[in-house]
Amino acid sequence: MKKNILIVYAHPEPASLNGALKDAMSEHLRAQGHEVDVSDLYAMGWKAAVDAADFPQRDAAARLRVPKDSHAAFAADALTNDVRAEQDKLRRADALILQFPLWWFSMPAILKGWFDRVYSYGFGYGVGEHSDTHWGDRYGEGALAGKRALVSVTAGGWQPHYAPRGINGPIEDLLFPINHGLLHYPGFEVLPPFVAYRSDRLDAEQFEQTRAALLQRVDGLWRDAPIAFRRQNGGDYELPSLLLKPGREAGGERGFALHVAPAGAV
Ligand code: FAD
């Protein structure tokens, strides 16, 4: 069935490895008859920093309060055109793919700034009833529920450096704020990430292997099982503390892994 996929891509060099992977994905998906939108953030000159200019109709004499001004602008359909265009792309998309190099163990700042601005109050957060018994529609619910997301990242480091005992910390932990905090939060079903390690020096054969492995993951966009992040409103958390209920941990007492349900539990 024909789907709509949004690729958000962050690399300053069109001829980069990241650029080649982004092109490979969009050509592959289009060849299958899907619609592909690409937000090429550097080429678009994306404004990464949130400031008062993001809310053109606000009272310029009042103190800037980003959540409040963001909420008012969203409700009045008065966000800037660049932000509204990206929100429309997200509404249209059945799946979101992020393509970026790992820079300082996270995403390039321009991509973080895409989330800071596009996820306005009322769209990315502040959705649904908010009370002591229902802390909003988030972590599995929200404006982007029902859509799928895949992070595709290239890293200079070696795979063992990112293994459970590796010096950089487990890749699942490093990507948790993105997969859980940015993608599961507004409702996406998040697939396990695609990570290309030792990516600074790839010969033609290694590039081809990386490209083919990524396209296989793209083919699994609607088939592969998402990460079993627990749903906030699924009964696993106490209210209003939002602590995981005792006895539900799959191993260990703290940390990111608590928020992934054990196999077979969801
Ligand atoms: P490129 O430099 O464009 O290419 C990499 C290789 O792929 C080259 O060998 C190139 O020839 C080959 N290639 C590219 N395109 C093609 C093509 N079309 N066909 C065949 N071969 C091709 N790494 C970490 O692990 N952790 C970090 O925290 C981290 N922080 C960083 C912070 C900064 C500011 C920077 C600049 C780098 C950091 N790195 C880190 C390394 C970074 O992750 C890699 O440099 C990046 O992922 C490589 O991707 P690229 O698209 O820039 O590669």
Side-chain angles (χ1 to χ4, degrees):
M1 200 170 76
K2 185 176 147 186
K3 301 275 192 183
N4 193 305
I5 296 97
L6 171 60
I7 301 175
V8 180
Y9 154 72
H11 198 290
E13 170 54 59
S16 63
L17 172 61
N18 274 264
L21 296 178
K22 176 262 294 173
D23 289 342
M25 286 192 287
S26 53
E27 283 160 22
H28 185 72
L29 286 162
R30 284 182 182 134
Q32 294 175 343
H34 301 304
E35 294 260 337
V36 182
D37 271 332
V38 177
S39 290
D40 178 344
L41 300 185
Y42 282 93
M44 291 157 68
W46 181 258
K47 169 181 177 286
V50 175
D51 59 21
D54 285 330
F55 317 113
Q57 293 182 9
R58 65 181 287 275
D59 173 4
R63 180 169 80 82
L64 175 68
R65 292 177 64 193
V66 173
K68 183 169 167 288
D69 289 315
S70 173
H71 194 191
F74 178 74
D77 202 16
L79 289 164
T80 54
N81 287 341
D82 60 346
V83 167
R84 286 170 38 194
E86 296 306 297
Q87 291 184 343
D88 283 344
K89 288 182 197 171
L90 278 169
R91 284 188 192 97
R92 249 194 333 266
D94 299 299
L96 168 68
I97 300 175
L98 303 179
Q99 178 65 56
F100 61 91
L102 195 67
W103 281 0
W104 290 113
F105 305 102
S106 187
M107 50 175 59
I110 199 169
L111 180 54
K112 175 61 164 47
W114 184 85
F115 282 102
D116 286 347
R117 295 185 60 236
V118 174
Y119 274 19
S120 68
Y121 192 123
F123 184 82
Y125 67 107
V127 175
E129 173 205 332
H130 198 283
S131 67
D132 274 3
T133 54
H134 187 100
W135 275 68
D137 295 347
R138 56 174 201 168
Y139 293 121
E141 297 169 291
L144 303 173
K147 303 174 187 292
R148 293 205 143 195
L150 171 67
V151 167
S152 170
V153 60
T154 63
W158 295 22
Q159 187 161 21
H161 305 174
Y162 292 96
R165 294 161 67 90
I167 188 160
N168 290 343
I171 194 71
E172 295 79 15
D173 286 7
L174 294 170
L175 296 179
F176 184 87
I178 299 172
N179 282 330
H180 186 262
L182 286 171
L183 297 173
H184 182 54
Y185 189 104
F188 280 109
E189 292 180 355
V190 187
L191 295 172
F194 175 82
V195 187
Y197 296 100
R198 293 179 80 165
S199 62
D200 278 313
R201 277 174 297 278
L202 296 183
D203 60 27
E205 191 185 339
Q206 290 167 326
F207 170 78
E208 192 41 47
Q209 284 167 356
T210 303
R211 183 181 164 281
L214 174 58
L215 295 185
Q216 258 193 9
R217 290 298 312 281
V218 167
D219 284 340
L221 262 180
W222 284 276
R223 185 191 59 218
D224 293 348
I227 303 170
F229 288 132
R230 298 176 192 274
R231 299 167 73 88
Q232 173 184 281
N233 299 318
D236 280 338
Y237 295 93
E238 293 173 345
L239 286 162
S241 64
L242 291 177
L243 292 169
L244 185 68
K245 289 179 178 169
R248 302 213 176 193
E249 56 280 347
E253 289 295 322
R254 64 187 302 280
F256 298 143
L258 283 183
H259 306 293
V260 179
V266 286

